[in-house]
Amino acid sequence: MKNFLSNYFENEANKPVKNHYPGPVIMISRECGCSAKRIATKLSKILTGYSFHSETKTDVEWKWVSKEIIEAAANELNMDTEKVRNVFLGEAKVSLEEVSTAFSTEKVYDAEDQQVIETVRKVILQLAEKGNYIIVGRAAGVIAQDVSRKLSIKLMAPLEWRINRIMQISNLSHADAQQYVLQIDRQRELFVEHVAGRKLNNNDYDIIFNYSTLQDDHIVDAIVNVIKNKRFFAEEEDN
């Protein structure tokens, strides 16, 4: 992933999609305090090493992306990465003070923001159609909802559990952790609603996991089993 930004547009984004069946792609949405990156890392390694195809076919590498999408969009727009990132919200990259002052509950996206969103949309669709990607956040589940072979996942947990987890990993007081979690959740909701043009509900996801009651390996194993039973790669194999 180290050379993702420098090689992305030259080696991937500008290539025509050769796959007649767009995907497969996995999109992971998460509430604040649920570690989608750990799930994505493990899942990408398992899917890369596990043969879903016949013995005569070669396995393909699965990659997971999140911040790389922001970097690719910034590169195309010739814009500072932080400026692009500010249209979104990174869980571990924004201080409490920045969260409370930079984002309101009535976020308004201006023309420059919209240009960023459209560029990110293009990057996500190119990755989703190319396939063999796990995309974390960035409203990917909404943007790539029409890709034929996709799996949309959401990680959730009770609010108090997530507050306690943020307290532990960030060494915050209960009050500060609660403010942080609520602000991040609200900002993400507003952004996804802006992209989708409506409020999302549970029907927008294929699978929802309670992150507070399941270990990472349990979630990854369940996703792999769904992929196998769903015959995620059947169109490739039948072609």
Side-chain angles (χ1 to χ4, degrees):
M1 298 305 292
K2 183 166 59 177
N3 297 321
F4 180 89
L5 178 58
S6 59
N7 296 331
Y8 176 80
F9 287 101
E10 179 182 354
N11 295 333
E12 295 188 13
N14 291 331
K15 284 185 178 180
V17 176
K18 296 180 181 178
N19 191 353
H20 295 295
Y21 305 100
V25 62
I26 298 169
M27 290 89 71
I28 304 179
S29 174
R30 75 285 191 218
E31 292 183 327
C32 181
C34 300
S35 183
K37 294 179 181 179
R38 294 204 322 227
I39 300 297
T41 300
K42 292 189 175 187
L43 191 58
S44 64
K45 292 178 179 178
I46 289 176
L47 293 182
T48 296
Y50 190 100
S51 176
F52 290 92
H53 306 290
S54 67
E55 293 180 0
T56 59
K57 293 186 179 180
T58 303
D59 291 341
V60 294
E61 181 184 5
W62 277 77
K63 298 177 181 179
W64 75 271
V65 293
S66 182
K67 67 178 182 180
E68 293 84 0
I69 293 171
I70 299 299
E71 293 168 355
N75 185 61
E76 181 169 339
L77 292 168
N78 194 25
M79 185 181 290
D80 182 79
T81 303
E82 286 302 316
K83 197 168 185 179
V84 174
R85 186 177 285 115
N86 283 340
V87 179
F88 301 84
L89 193 58
E91 210 172 278
K93 300 189 182 294
V94 183
S95 70
L96 287 171
E97 182 179 357
E98 288 173 327
V99 169
S100 61
T101 57
F103 302 103
S104 71
T105 56
E106 297 183 1
K107 171 75 174 178
V108 176
Y109 295 93
D110 59 23
E112 188 174 59
D113 290 340
Q114 196 59 43
Q115 184 184 23
V116 168
I117 292 168
E118 291 306 315
T119 304
V120 167
R121 183 194 298 272
K122 183 177 78 170
V123 173
I124 287 174
L125 284 175
Q126 287 168 336
L127 292 175
E129 290 175 4
K130 184 177 186 299
N132 303 113
Y133 277 95
I134 301 164
I135 305 175
V136 175
R138 318 304 171 195
V142 171
I143 292 170
Q145 62 184 340
D146 294 328
V147 171
S148 58
R149 290 181 298 163
K150 58 90 180 173
L151 193 66
S152 182
I153 296 164
K154 183 161 188 179
L155 305 177
M156 303 178 68
L159 176 60
E160 192 60 31
W161 184 92
R162 294 187 289 121
I163 291 171
N164 288 331
R165 186 164 189 268
I166 293 298
M167 288 173 62
Q168 292 172 4
I169 64 179
S170 300
N171 195 28
L172 296 175
S173 69
H174 186 279
D176 285 345
Q178 180 177 24
Q179 179 192 12
Y180 179 79
V181 169
L182 293 176
Q183 289 277 7
I184 297 289
D185 279 349
R186 182 56 181 154
Q187 178 60 25
R188 287 178 177 168
E189 285 177 10
L190 289 170
F191 178 78
V192 174
E193 287 173 15
H194 174 76
V195 173
R198 61 178 176 83
K199 286 184 177 293
L200 268 62
N201 55 54
N202 290 348
N203 295 327
D204 290 295
Y205 305 97
D206 297 307
I207 312 174
I208 299 175
F209 291 103
N210 184 341
Y211 196 80
S212 70
T213 60
L214 296 169
Q215 296 179 11
D216 290 351
D217 288 344
H218 298 156
I219 295 173
V220 171
D221 287 347
I223 294 171
V224 171
N225 283 327
V226 168
I227 288 173
K228 287 158 58 179
N229 293 329
K230 191 179 171 70
R231 299 189 74 227
F232 217 44
F233 300 92
E235 289 168 320
E236 279 184 354
E237 294 169 351
D238 296 341
N239 191 27

